[in-house]
Amino acid sequence: MATALSSPTLGEDGGQIVFRGRLNLTGDGGAVLEVADTRILFDLADPPPPVAFNGTWVEVRVARNSVSLWPYLL
């Protein structure tokens, strides 16, 4: 979801993990969320976010048990 808050966040809120940063859509079904100096790669479900979200601040909330960490070299 788009957010008016423009401060990066990676934290926990109840049973959710909260990511807040600037969203960059990759055009191939993925997205990169820039959180401070870190880039987090996301695979997106259908339908993808609107193109108008590209470059905007967004907040992603995910159930804590739905987050997985995979090493990836950019």
Side-chain angles (χ1 to χ4, degrees), residues 24-71:
N24 293 299
L25 303 175
T26 63
D28 62 355
V32 176
L33 185 66
E34 293 180 27
V35 180
D37 292 330
T38 301
R39 292 185 179 113
I40 301 172
L41 182 63
F42 282 90
D43 287 324
L44 301 175
D46 251 351
V51 175
F53 279 26
N54 192 44
T56 64
W57 283 88
V58 298
E59 186 171 284
V60 178
R61 291 178 168 262
V62 183
R64 185 177 172 174
N65 62 351
S66 296
V67 175
S68 299
L69 179 64
W70 298 92

Side-chain angles (χ1 to χ4, degrees), residues 10-37:
L10 176 56
E12 193 174 349
D13 182 16
Q16 296 181 323
I17 302 297
V18 180
F19 304 88
R20 186 184 316 127
R22 191 174 302 272
L23 182 69
N24 293 299
L25 303 175
T26 63
D28 62 355
V32 176
L33 185 66
E34 293 180 27
V35 180
D37 292 330

